[in-house]
Amino acid sequence: MKVNGRRRTAQIVGGLAAVATFALAGCGSDNTSGATQAKDGARSTAAALSGTPIKIGYAASMSGAQASNGLSGKAVAHAWQEYTNAHGGILGHPVEITTTDTKNTVPGATAVVKSFMTDSDVDAVFMTDLVAESAMSDTFKGTDVAVISANGATNVPWTTVPGLFQDVSGAEYAAQAYADVAKATGAKKLGWAVCAEVANCQLNSENGSAYAETLGVAPVGTQLVSASASDYTAPCLSFIRKGTDSIAMYIGYTTGTRFAADCLQQGYTGRFLTANSGFDQTAFGKISGFKSYGTTEGFPWWADDPAVVTYRDAMAKYSPDGAWQTGNATAVWSSFELFKKALEDAKPTTVDRAAVLDAMYQVKDETLGGLLAQPVTYTKGQPSKPVMCSWFFKFDAGDDEPTSVAPATSGNGATGDLASTCKKTDD
């Protein structure tokens, strides 16, 4: 992958009405410092930091139908921890992340989160589990520890419960994004391949189909796609018979790669639409004939910006086997970076869960220099506002890297690859 040099930015005629994202999203624990051994003395650097450790509990789905989300997040969390500790920690404090598997179930996720929330040594909680999150509002109500979304998943509970902090778009925005992308790229007939394991997948696709119809893009129906299926010949043939020229893959990339390969083998000649953890550059790059447009809630990993170069370098050094060329991964990184910047701006004399909450509520119009798709502001006693921006790109098998699609107006004030596209609203 190219690290230096400017990247070509494509402009789609007519622009985009909206671009959004979708994060597809006894328990075992694992301190990320044991996931991959650092090779440059990062541990000795962390040990030399004078402050008491800042302890973070990370609830991530590392098994089950959407395990790729949590496993990718774990790799990113480890790289961020090691890089941060090797570069002074946070205000002189080393960070220690304990990642625990939620097993992609509501009981599993609830047990993990409660264990972190009741442990007074845990200063902040991060979470990645699209299956469980929307059913956990009551678990989070009245929380005295900051709970930070490590990817988009859904707006519930992130934009409904105070004390929870979302900095990337949720699935509710994604359904319209697929339709807008289809419209902007000239699609006439849009099909939906959605995860069978998550009820909201089908619901959102139905809403997306209704929205697509208002744009003049004909919906051809939804096919439920199970991660455990042996092949996807039947749904692929159904799309082909209906003349589908664009398929929105509302599924994780490990399933999506198999689905796309099967459809291409059956003779599908249209485009695939991807988003967030539904896309992995390396995986789809291996599928001959694959053509796609995508949206990403996490910043473009191919950008030349120094902060993005830092992300790539950190992943290569500390988590070389982690899936990092995906919006799920970059969303996790930016969420940890926001946590770090909030504390560094607030400069509390003591870092504990109360100080973290206070620091997060001091975040105002923050974009992390373009790593966030839109400026975020948090207000004490109020839930987060939905994020309505993301990035759009084109990627075909054989491409060295994705090509950004430039927005008509930058949603986050950034330029080049980091300039985001936002949904048009009436307010």
Side-chain angles (χ1 to χ4, degrees):
M1 185 190 73
K2 299 176 184 177
V3 173
N4 298 313
R6 306 307 301 171
R7 287 162 173 77
R8 180 169 53 91
T9 299
Q11 178 74 50
I12 288 187
V13 178
L16 296 175
V19 177
T21 56
F22 174 60
L24 294 174
C27 299
S29 297
D30 182 14
N31 187 292
T32 61
S33 63
T36 302
Q37 292 297 317
K39 299 178 181 179
D40 69 339
R43 295 185 208 298
S44 60
T45 301
L49 295 174
S50 59
T52 56
I54 299 173
K55 296 187 177 182
I56 300 170
Y58 185 12
S61 54
M62 297 183 290
S63 60
Q66 306 296 331
S68 59
N69 293 347
L71 292 172
S72 172
K74 176 185 176 182
V76 174
H78 169 72
W80 179 83
Q81 171 188 280
E82 297 301 298
Y83 179 86
T84 299
N85 288 341
H87 292 79
I90 299 178
L91 302 174
H93 298 265
V95 292
E96 294 181 1
I97 304 174
T98 297
T99 306
T100 305
D101 185 11
T102 62
K103 300 185 178 180
N104 245 186
T105 67
V106 174
T110 301
V112 172
V113 168
K114 284 185 175 180
S115 71
F116 287 143
M117 293 175 68
T118 56
D119 183 352
S120 59
D121 289 334
V122 173
D123 301 308
V125 176
F126 283 70
M127 186 171 183
T128 298
D129 191 323
L130 82 127
V131 172
E133 292 173 6
S134 61
M136 295 179 63
S137 295
D138 288 342
T139 302
F140 294 121
K141 285 180 179 177
T143 179
D144 67 343
V145 58
V147 182
I148 301 168
S149 175
N151 60 12
T154 171
N155 284 342
V156 179
W158 302 104
T159 63
T160 60
V161 179
L164 276 60
F165 302 91
Q166 187 175 36
D167 55 52
V168 293
S169 58
E172 292 82 353
Y173 182 32
Q176 290 191 3
Y178 279 111
D180 282 313
V181 171
K183 173 67 175 179
T185 54
K188 301 299 182 183
K189 294 186 177 182
L190 174 63
W192 297 78
V194 307
C195 52
E197 296 81 7
V198 184
N200 279 342
C201 287
Q202 185 171 5
L203 176 61
N204 287 335
S205 71
E206 292 170 354
N207 293 336
S209 289
Y211 175 68
E213 207 160 14
T214 68
L215 302 177
V217 179
V220 301
T222 295
Q223 294 290 328
L224 295 180
V225 175
S226 172
S228 61
S230 58
D231 73 81
Y232 304 103
T233 299
C236 290
L237 289 176
S238 177
F239 285 133
I240 293 170
R241 284 194 295 266
K242 295 175 181 178
T244 309
D245 56 15
S246 193
I247 300 175
M249 296 197 296
Y250 223 56
I251 45 184
Y253 79 86
T254 54
T255 302
T257 50
R258 294 190 294 120
F259 174 82
D262 279 1
C263 286
L264 291 169
Q265 186 176 16
Q266 297 302 321
Y268 177 69
T269 58
R271 289 268 178 188
F272 296 95
L273 304 182
T274 66
N276 306 314
S277 57
F279 178 81
D280 178 83
Q281 180 179 324
T282 300
F284 281 111
K286 296 176 182 177
I287 301 176
S288 177
F290 179 79
K291 298 181 296 182
S292 74
Y293 285 99
T295 68
T296 172
E297 68 182 358
F299 59 83
W301 54 92
W302 58 91
D304 288 330
D305 187 87
V308 182
V309 174
T310 293
Y311 162 75
R312 292 198 294 264
D313 289 347
M315 291 301 295
K317 189 169 194 174
Y318 300 115
S319 291
D321 298 326
W324 60 273
Q325 293 174 307
T326 168
N328 175 68
T330 54
V332 174
W333 181 274
S334 62
S335 293
F336 277 108
E337 283 290 281
L338 181 62
F339 167 79
K340 178 175 182 285
K341 190 172 190 303
L343 281 172
E344 289 180 337
D345 287 349
K347 296 180 175 61
T349 55
T350 300
V351 179
D352 54 19
R353 55 177 52 185
V356 172
L357 263 178
D358 182 65
M360 292 300 294
Y361 280 128
Q362 293 183 47
V363 171
K364 306 297 179 188
D365 294 320
E366 183 61 61
T367 67
L368 296 177
L371 296 188
L372 299 180
Q374 79 177 41
V376 296
T377 294
Y378 303 124
T379 303
K380 188 173 183 179
Q382 297 181 18
S384 302
K385 293 182 178 180
V387 174
M388 308 292 280
C389 308
S390 62
W391 295 268
F392 186 63
F393 64 90
K394 174 181 177 294
F395 180 80
D396 297 344
D399 291 348
D400 289 336
E401 59 197 11
T403 301
S404 298
V405 174
T409 302
S410 175
N412 58 3
T415 58
D417 289 324
L418 290 185
S420 64
T421 298
C422 298
K423 176 179 173 59
K424 292 181 179 178
T425 60
D426 297 329
D427 43 47

